[in-house]
Amino acid sequence: MLTRLFDNELLLGAAQAAVALALALLVILLARREQVHLERDLTGALLRGLVQIVAVGSIFLLLLQAPVWITGFVLMGMVAAAAAIARRRVNGIPGVFAVSLYGIAFGSGLVILPMTLLGVIETQVTALIPVGSMIIASSMNTCALALERFRADVETHAAQIEAGLALGAAPAETVTPYVRSAVTASLIPHLNTLRSLGIVWIPGIMAGMILSGADPVYAAVYQFVVIAMIFAAGGLTALASMILVRGRVFGASEQLLIRQGS
Amino acid sequence: MNSDSDTTALRVEALSRTVMGAKLLDGVSFAVRRGEVWAIVGPSGAGKSSLLRLLVRLDEPSAGTVYLDGVDYRELPPRELRRRVGLVAQHAALFPGTVAENVRFGPRHRGVELSTERVEKLLAGVGLSGFRHRNVANLSGGEAQRVGLARTLANEPEILLLDEPTSALDETSREDVEALIRSIIRENELTCLIVTHDVAQARRTADHALLLRQGRVAEKGPIEGVLGAHPAVR
């Protein structure tokens, strides 16, 4: 119906957003009737989401006019932002920003670069930035999960780690079991995604491609390609960040620096 | 080098540790000769366990240092120091796996694989003959502490540090483990520092005592002199 009323795409988008917002407002009103006050949180989140996503759309508009090499800088900026966000979730590990930065850059870079050179990711701004951002965002989550699990395990097993140190073991060897469990734990969400693909959820890229008229089978295959790239980047990020972090929980004289409550 | 320094196994000089403004140890100095057994006594929070952790550099001193056989321990690689000065903690903190894997841990990390005979001998030494294949998850507290002791002795340390080795055990195990410790120290002529809050245990085990109060040395010397002058060290 809306498509018949609006010829202009921008006006159509605004109308669609208004209808979606009206739906959200309806939820707020219904919740209010049940004494559940969502108005402040939900209104703020909705407006923020709208502004952010329109801003991203506008940036895309600019990027579409820009040369492809610009995307390299955009993706690097995303990696830095991802490292800063991953770092915020993990306290108590010295130099954790650098670990996150190098881990995410290594994991996502080692997937984005060869996949672009091989033509799996098209060398267009419209492909590089959305696919790249998905890979970087997923690497960020994997990195944060791995670091958080590692820190928690080291804190919990501080007595065993120090027993190993006291017996003359190398610091890295005393934390090997916790490196392994952190990598495994950080990849569980990816494994669940792969297992449930197509059964529990139809992910964004496939949905978007079908909506824009692409062949559903090609959309499905490309979705798998993207998820496989996300998994690969996540695995590389987790491994790299664990290799980088395992030495950082020890001081210069091979002393454990983080303990419960530190 | 005079004869006194020849026989000094460990010399602690003005050792201090401050954490977030709190002085855990404040200028602690004493010297231990080879073959001496020192009891580190004092009330809770006096810095007894902090002192042992500093002696194996699990923590870093804020000031002062330790000489091992006349060598400043900061000049030694930490792993060499920790092999030469063995620490048995209050809780054994065994590694998941078998008793034998725990006993082999230290030597394995410096490229030495202990033979089955050697493992059995070490286990027999702590009264655990035939325990080689046992999973450490199935051990009692007393048995775990004995494995912890055998695991440290497998490194053949020159100095043995025991941090309240019996305080986490029930009464029967406590007496057994204490008797075992005494016989191991005697038979191996070990230089030993034992942290204890139990004055009677200190008397039974040690020949010298270091009394700490609020991180400082309140008294040191032959055990009867120290404990006689301060009967209530708790």
Side-chain angles (χ1 to χ4, degrees):
Chain A
M1 195 172 101
L2 286 175
T3 45
R4 268 184 272 154
L5 286 173
F6 298 97
D7 287 340
N8 185 303
E9 244 186 3
L10 276 177
L11 286 175
L12 176 64
Q16 286 168 332
V19 172
L21 271 173
L23 195 66
L25 287 172
L26 189 67
V27 172
I28 292 171
L29 290 173
L30 284 172
R32 226 178 122 84
R33 274 186 59 172
E34 298 300 318
Q35 307 289 318
V36 179
H37 296 282
L38 296 171
E39 47 272 30
R40 186 183 288 183
D41 287 347
L42 206 56
T43 313
L46 280 168
L47 287 174
R48 189 182 157 159
L50 181 66
V51 170
Q52 277 178 201
I53 208 74
V54 169
V56 168
S58 310
I59 291 169
F60 252 100
L61 197 65
L62 292 173
L63 285 172
L64 282 173
Q65 331 289 326
V68 170
W69 58 263
I70 286 285
T71 55
F73 290 101
V74 174
L75 293 176
M76 279 194 273
M78 284 180 177
V79 167
I85 293 166
R87 182 240 171 283
R88 259 189 299 191
R89 295 194 213 165
V90 187
N91 295 317
I93 301 179
V96 73
F97 175 73
V99 170
S100 307
L101 184 69
Y102 299 145
I104 296 168
F106 176 81
S108 52
L110 220 58
V111 169
I112 294 171
L113 217 60
M115 291 294 117
T116 307
L117 292 174
L118 286 168
V120 178
I121 305 173
E122 288 177 37
T123 45
Q124 292 168 358
V125 175
T126 47
L128 267 169
I129 289 185
V131 176
S133 77
M134 274 191 280
I135 291 171
I136 292 165
S138 169
S139 293
M140 171 187 77
N141 288 332
T142 310
C143 181
L145 277 175
L147 289 171
E148 176 52 33
R149 172 64 181 259
F150 178 73
R151 187 189 58 82
D153 272 357
V154 168
E155 275 189 7
T156 310
H157 298 95
Q160 274 165 333
I161 293 166
E162 290 196 326
L165 292 174
L167 289 164
E173 286 164 351
T174 63
V175 293
T176 298
Y178 317 118
V179 165
R180 286 192 197 125
S181 60
V183 171
T184 309
S186 70
L187 292 178
I188 286 173
H190 291 294
L191 292 171
N192 287 342
T193 298
L194 281 169
R195 286 195 192 109
S196 65
L197 195 59
I199 299 169
V200 182
W201 68 295
I202 296 173
I205 281 199
M206 184 174 165
M209 285 172 79
I210 293 171
L211 281 172
S212 60
D215 181 300
V217 177
Y218 177 70
V221 171
Y222 198 72
Q223 180 65 70
F224 175 79
V225 169
V226 170
I227 293 213
M229 287 192 292
I230 284 174
F231 177 76
L236 289 168
T237 301
L239 285 170
S241 50
M242 284 300 101
I243 288 168
L244 291 169
V245 81
R246 67 183 175 192
R248 289 182 185 254
V249 294
F250 297 99
S253 305
E254 304 188 350
Q255 296 137 345
L256 184 63
L257 296 177
I258 60 170
R259 295 199 193 92
Q260 209 93 42
S262 63
Chain B
M1 206 179 266
N2 60 34
S3 63
D4 192 52
S5 62
D6 283 346
T7 59
T8 302
L10 188 78
R11 188 155 53 86
V12 177
E13 254 188 32
L15 204 61
S16 300
R17 178 161 167 82
T18 306
V19 177
M20 290 189 286
K23 283 198 167 178
L24 303 181
L25 277 183
D26 188 5
V28 170
S29 299
F30 65 105
V32 179
R33 291 182 181 183
R34 267 188 207 88
E36 283 182 348
V37 179
W38 281 65
I40 316 292
V41 293
S44 293
K48 305 187 292 292
S49 296
S50 299
L51 173 61
L52 290 202
R53 289 178 60 84
L54 286 174
L55 293 181
V56 288
R57 281 188 96 181
L58 283 179
D59 289 325
E60 197 65 6
S62 310
T65 191
V66 176
Y67 292 91
L68 186 66
D69 271 342
V71 177
D72 189 328
Y73 82 161
R74 290 171 299 187
E75 291 168 17
L76 296 172
R79 285 172 232 175
E80 185 194 328
L81 168 75
R82 290 165 188 160
R83 190 199 64 72
R84 292 174 62 187
V85 183
L87 172 68
V88 177
Q90 189 173 355
H91 298 280
L94 299 178
F95 311 120
T98 65
V99 167
E101 283 164 359
N102 272 269
V103 173
R104 287 194 166 109
F105 184 92
R108 185 172 282 166
H109 279 85
R110 53 174 206 280
V112 177
E113 191 64 27
L114 292 187
S115 67
T116 305
E117 291 73 30
R118 177 75 184 132
V119 172
E120 266 305 327
K121 197 177 172 194
L122 282 159
L123 289 175
V126 295
L128 292 179
S129 290
F131 273 61
R132 191 158 43 98
H133 296 300
R134 287 269 196 103
N135 191 313
V136 297
N138 302 323
L139 299 178
S140 69
E143 288 165 349
Q145 196 59 298
R146 286 162 188 256
V147 175
L149 191 55
R151 184 173 67 171
T152 301
L153 292 173
N155 268 345
E156 298 176 356
E158 295 160 27
I159 298 170
L160 184 63
L161 309 179
L162 302 160
D163 187 4
E164 304 255 19
T166 60
S167 65
L169 307 178
D170 60 56
E171 199 170 334
T172 317
S173 303
R174 197 180 306 151
E175 287 170 10
D176 291 348
V177 171
E178 188 194 308
L180 175 75
I181 288 168
R182 284 202 305 271
S183 77
I184 286 173
I185 291 170
R186 202 170 44 244
E187 282 166 24
N188 297 284
E189 295 178 345
L190 280 170
T191 306
C192 181
L193 276 72
I194 177 167
V195 163
T196 181
H197 62 269
D198 182 343
V199 175
Q201 184 178 65
R203 279 203 167 92
R204 286 192 297 268
T205 314
D207 42 51
H208 285 72
L210 179 80
L211 172 61
L212 293 176
R213 279 195 204 283
Q214 293 175 326
R216 293 182 179 185
V217 177
E219 191 80 56
K220 61 185 172 186
I223 194 148
E224 281 313 322
V226 174
L227 298 182
H230 301 268
V233 294
R234 279 164 186 264

